[in-house]
Amino acid sequence: MRIVLLGDSHLARVRRDRARLAPPGADVVNAAVGGAVASELVPQAVAAGVGPDDVLVVSIGSNDAAPWKQVHLDTMAACIDDFLARTPRRALVYVVPPGVDEAGLTGPGDRTDAVVTAYADAAAERFGAAGATLVHARDLLAPLGAAAFADDAVHLTGAGYDLLLPAIREAVAQTAGRPAT
């Protein structure tokens, strides 16, 4: 089995811990890129050589919600629909973004938790309708509060990943047994 990580920094930062996402013998390919938005999913999948036997794990939406990216919500949704229509896969897991720790944000005009949530919900609706297993990062990380987030209030800490990675692994195991899409 091959597990391919696509999307933004929430998965791009999973480097040394890739083995924690897969059963023994599975190959984990990390094609996610920090700062990625939904329009980059298809190019990432193509670059990774995604095929119909792959289990895809996707995290997208946090950067689409960033004011400096200026990705309209409808544009993000259309890019996700395009990705879902064009990308072959055996199974799909969507990691719903955890939001941000607003108390730790430093500048005016930064992302807000409400805006990130709106983008996360729109993406989760699209992925869920396509049969993806959803991993709700916000719910998983809630017990940690601000300790789930790094100093930039957006990225996750080691403690955050300690809760998130086992949930992704479980979702991959559940979806891997599903018929090919």
Side-chain angles (χ1 to χ4, degrees):
M1 172 171 54
R2 191 170 90 128
I3 300 165
V4 182
L5 309 181
L6 302 170
D8 59 28
S9 61
H10 290 303
L11 292 176
R13 290 176 170 230
V14 178
R15 296 287 177 203
R16 292 185 312 245
D17 292 330
R18 286 185 316 188
R20 292 174 62 190
L21 295 175
D27 184 23
V28 179
V29 175
N30 193 338
V33 177
V37 294
S39 63
E40 296 171 66
L41 288 175
V42 170
Q44 285 181 10
V46 169
V50 167
D53 293 327
D54 292 335
V55 176
L56 308 182
V57 179
V58 179
S59 172
I60 205 75
S62 293
N63 295 310
D64 296 89
W68 54 91
K69 295 278 187 167
Q70 298 182 345
V71 177
H72 192 276
L73 192 56
D74 291 338
T75 301
M76 181 198 72
C79 290
I80 291 170
D81 290 344
D82 181 52
F83 165 77
L84 292 169
R86 293 176 53 192
T87 307
R89 61 199 175 269
R90 173 182 176 155
L92 184 61
V93 173
Y94 177 61
V95 180
V96 183
V100 296
D101 174 24
E102 284 188 354
L105 295 174
T106 57
D110 206 339
R111 289 168 262 216
T112 66
D113 200 50
V115 171
V116 173
T117 298
Y119 278 74
D121 290 348
E125 181 180 323
R126 292 277 191 294
F127 281 100
T133 298
L134 304 180
V135 175
H136 293 276
R138 178 187 306 273
D139 297 341
L140 289 168
L141 301 174
L144 294 176
F149 294 94
D151 291 341
D152 66 6
V154 175
H155 295 100
L156 301 180
T157 61
Y161 281 110
D162 284 345
L163 292 178
L164 184 60
L165 295 180
I168 294 172
R169 181 184 174 122
E170 182 178 325
V172 165
Q174 288 175 356
T175 61
R178 292 184 182 171
T181 304

